[in-house]
Amino acid sequence: MSDDEGPPPMDDVDVNEDGAPEAEVDLGGDEDFADANSPGEEEEAPEPEPEAEPEPEPEPEAEPVAEPEPEAEAEPEPKKEEPKKKAAPKAKPAPAPADEEDDDEEEEPPKAAPKPAASAASPPKKGGSMKKRAPLTAQAPIVAQHEFTVQIGEPEKLIDGGYVVYKVTAKTNLKAYKNREMSVSRRFSDFHSLQKNLQTKYPGVIVPPCPPKDAVGTLSVKMANKEANNSSFIERRQFGLERFLRRLVMHPILVTDEMVRMFFETDQKIPKPASQMFNLMAKSVTTYFETDEFFDDRWRQMEVLDSQLRRLHRAIDSLVGVRKGLSADTTTFAKTFAALADSEELKTLTQAMHQLADVEAKVAKLHMKQSGRDYFEFSEVIFDYISLVANAKFALGQRQDVNRNFINAVANLDSKKKKLAAIEADPNKVIKIDPAKQEVKEAEQKVAETQMKVAEISRLMRRELERFDHYKAQDFIQMCVKYIESLMTMEHQIVKAWETFLPEAKSIPL
């Protein structure tokens, strides 16, 4: 039988039976159908014969039988590749990896989902390591993700104490608050104490500014009667307090503070902050040189910004005064022109002059209204940012205090080490070696603690400055857009008033 004769030549070419055909399947050779016959038994070999294509391919099998040696020599090259792929096991499990790849493709999406979750969970772990200072290490978002609206209603002057009470209404979706809607009545001292307490409690945080105390304005309100509670001083303070609360509730760290929640949810009086007079005196005595170039540059930028804002504020105040003066002068002109119109005998001219006087009076009111907009929407915003820059410099100063403690701790450690070296060099002071080593150890711990605090407050301060820059750009853009729109509205109304009067003036008969 040909089946019995086939094995001897195939024994001469063992490679074909051991795995060469299978490797050739992976390499995509011309003997694909020969490979398909090799993995099966000899009975399976005749199966491809009925097919039209496999019939010519068994013929090349006779060639290796007739000339086994030359083909065996031609096949060593694939043999060299085969040992590299003695992963013939790779060829056998080839279908399995194909399935595994499909499985991997299905498993990769679920694997990609937990990775961001793990990365998002990693920052809280870092912050959680410092339980006492967790609020400072938390990487809060620049833009607040919660909703919190605040409004201050019309102030009310109490007869008993002579002071003014501001009604605060607020709505929020934060779970830290017991109620979603809140309404309380607060004095100015409550706002002021809240702001100062937050500055002390959160070093490195730029706390929004509260309107400054004004002894003259407060005294004038107390001396005035109850009907005078809508004075410009109270109105200005009301807008300033509302801006303070709106910025406060949008701060991701301060909004959930216990004292802030007490301010909105209860009528309890906010405690006064501790006096900082001693710390201010200590700062004035000691000198400080910034070691971080970034914070040194930001300090200089704050000083330049403060100077520019103050000059701009003076210019805007002057502009507001000019508009008020223009309104007053225009009103005077309208009255005197109307008086002149009464002396005219020609009725048509008298009517036209009265209409002109009315237009001038309307223009005067528009200028006065614009001066109010300039004051509250431009001048007060700039003044508010002058105070905010001062608070930013205060926060930078708090970081300087922490860094100063670190520098002092390093200097103390150096002195302790020198002292220990001197004691070890003196054989008569052997008894003092252990206490000196303990002092060095404590000094090293102090250096490590202060260094960690410097890194912590520096990281927080960078985040706060980033928030400051973001909101400053946003507020300035809104301020400029409102200013331009208000000017365009005023000018359009003035032009419209004159365009309405001009045809009537031209139609006056001579």
Side-chain angles (χ1 to χ4, degrees):
M1 294 292 293
S2 62
D3 296 337
D4 297 335
E5 297 175 358
M10 296 300 290
D11 292 338
D12 297 337
V13 188
D14 294 337
V15 178
N16 293 329
E17 290 182 357
D18 293 340
E22 295 177 358
E24 292 175 358
V25 174
D26 294 337
L27 295 174
D30 296 332
E31 298 178 0
D32 293 341
F33 293 95
D35 297 336
N37 295 332
S38 61
E41 297 178 354
E42 294 175 354
E43 295 177 354
E44 295 177 355
E47 292 179 359
E49 294 178 356
E51 297 178 358
E53 295 178 357
E55 289 177 356
E57 292 181 359
E59 296 177 0
E61 291 179 356
E63 294 177 1
V65 173
E67 296 177 358
E69 297 178 357
E71 289 183 358
E73 294 176 354
E75 291 177 355
E77 295 180 356
K79 286 181 185 178
K80 294 179 180 177
E81 294 179 355
E82 287 168 4
K84 293 180 182 178
K85 290 191 176 186
K86 278 184 183 182
K90 288 184 182 178
K92 290 181 180 179
D99 297 337
E100 291 177 0
E101 289 177 359
D102 296 336
D103 296 337
D104 293 339
E105 293 177 357
E106 296 177 358
E107 293 177 0
E108 286 177 0
K111 288 181 181 178
K115 287 181 181 178
S119 62
S122 57
K125 290 181 180 178
K126 295 179 181 178
S129 61
M130 294 293 296
K131 294 182 180 179
K132 295 183 179 179
R133 304 181 68 85
L136 299 182
T137 57
Q139 289 296 331
I142 297 178
V143 180
Q145 304 298 324
H146 60 273
E147 295 180 1
F148 208 125
T149 59
V150 178
Q151 290 182 349
I152 296 182
E154 186 176 354
E156 180 182 0
K157 181 180 178 182
L158 300 181
I159 302 177
D160 298 337
Y163 52 83
V164 179
V165 174
Y166 302 88
K167 186 177 181 180
V168 181
T169 58
K171 295 180 181 180
T172 183
N173 62 351
L174 286 175
K175 296 181 180 180
Y177 288 80
K178 299 178 182 178
N179 302 321
R180 294 293 173 262
E181 298 183 2
M182 298 158 284
S183 178
V184 293
S185 296
R186 291 292 182 182
R187 295 177 56 182
F188 173 76
S189 58
D190 293 327
F191 293 87
H192 187 266
S193 297
L194 176 63
Q195 196 265 344
K196 295 300 180 182
N197 281 314
L198 292 175
Q199 274 189 327
T200 306
K201 186 176 181 180
Y202 294 94
V205 173
I206 303 177
V207 181
C210 182
K213 291 183 177 181
D214 190 342
V216 177
T218 304
L219 181 61
S220 64
V221 171
K222 290 184 177 181
M223 298 298 294
N225 54 20
K226 185 177 180 180
E227 296 179 354
N229 60 353
N230 290 327
S231 64
S232 59
F233 169 75
I234 295 179
E235 187 178 6
R236 175 182 177 182
R237 175 170 282 185
Q238 176 186 353
F239 279 98
L241 293 174
E242 189 169 321
R243 281 196 303 271
F244 162 67
L245 291 182
R246 286 181 178 177
R247 285 178 176 168
L248 180 65
V249 298
M250 286 295 104
H251 197 288
I253 297 177
L254 302 178
V255 67
T256 56
D257 180 77
E258 181 180 1
M259 191 172 293
V260 175
R261 288 187 280 111
M262 183 180 72
F263 178 89
F264 284 104
E265 294 180 337
T266 68
D267 293 330
Q268 298 180 10
K269 186 174 179 61
I270 303 299
K272 293 184 178 181
S275 178
Q276 300 292 329
M277 185 62 66
F278 178 78
N279 294 336
L280 294 176
M281 293 176 61
K283 288 182 182 179
S284 61
V285 173
T286 59
T287 57
Y288 175 79
F289 298 96
E290 182 58 63
T291 57
D292 193 310
E293 183 178 357
F294 171 81
F295 291 104
D296 184 57
D297 291 342
R298 291 312 302 260
W299 179 270
R300 296 177 186 275
Q301 291 175 7
M302 288 295 175
E303 289 184 338
V304 173
L305 179 61
D306 180 70
S307 176
Q308 292 176 343
L309 289 175
R310 291 182 183 276
R311 287 190 298 173
L312 178 60
H313 184 258
R314 289 194 295 268
I316 297 173
D317 282 348
S318 177
L319 178 62
V320 171
V322 169
R323 290 194 190 279
K324 288 182 178 180
L326 178 61
S327 175
D329 293 341
T330 306
T331 302
T332 303
F333 171 78
K335 290 180 180 179
T336 55
F337 198 79
L340 177 63
D342 295 335
S343 63
E344 288 293 333
E345 296 180 357
L346 186 60
K347 292 183 179 180
T348 55
L349 180 58
T350 301
Q351 292 177 356
M353 293 178 68
H354 275 293
Q355 290 178 356
L356 176 60
D358 293 340
V359 173
E360 288 288 358
K362 185 177 181 180
V363 171
K365 291 180 179 179
L366 291 175
H367 282 298
M368 181 59 69
K369 187 177 181 180
Q370 183 61 35
S371 67
R373 290 177 178 175
D374 293 346
Y375 180 77
F376 288 104
E377 297 179 0
F378 208 131
S379 178
E380 281 298 289
V381 173
I382 297 299
F383 179 79
D384 191 57
Y385 259 92
I386 293 174
S387 302
L388 186 59
V389 169
N391 287 7
K393 293 172 68 176
F394 182 83
L396 288 170
Q398 289 177 322
R399 181 200 162 275
Q400 292 177 0
D401 295 339
V402 177
N403 194 28
R404 185 185 290 108
N405 294 337
F406 169 69
I407 295 173
N408 294 336
V410 172
N412 183 42
L413 176 60
D414 292 339
S415 64
K416 295 295 183 183
K417 288 182 177 179
K418 292 179 180 178
K419 181 179 178 181
L420 176 60
I423 293 175
E424 291 178 344
D426 191 351
N428 298 326
K429 297 182 179 180
V430 178
I431 302 176
K432 298 182 179 181
I433 293 179
D434 291 339
K437 288 183 178 179
Q438 183 63 26
E439 292 179 359
V440 171
K441 183 177 180 181
E442 293 176 356
E444 290 176 346
Q445 293 177 352
K446 184 67 175 178
V447 169
E449 292 176 0
T450 54
Q451 186 177 13
M452 183 175 60
K453 291 180 180 179
V454 170
E456 179 182 350
I457 196 172
S458 298
R459 182 168 58 253
L460 175 63
M461 195 70 239
R462 288 174 182 268
R463 192 73 171 173
E464 287 294 302
L465 291 173
E466 189 178 356
R467 290 187 70 257
F468 175 84
D469 294 337
H470 173 79
Y471 282 107
K472 179 172 68 69
Q474 178 179 325
D475 292 342
F476 278 23
I477 292 173
Q478 293 178 355
M479 177 185 64
C480 293
V481 170
K482 287 183 178 180
Y483 178 71
I484 295 171
E485 290 177 348
S486 64
L487 282 179
M488 293 177 63
T489 302
M490 181 195 69
E491 297 295 344
H492 177 72
Q493 292 175 348
I494 292 175
V495 171
K496 185 178 180 180
W498 287 117
E499 287 179 346
T500 305
F501 170 71
L502 183 59
E504 297 181 2
K506 290 181 177 181
S507 64
I508 298 175
L510 296 176

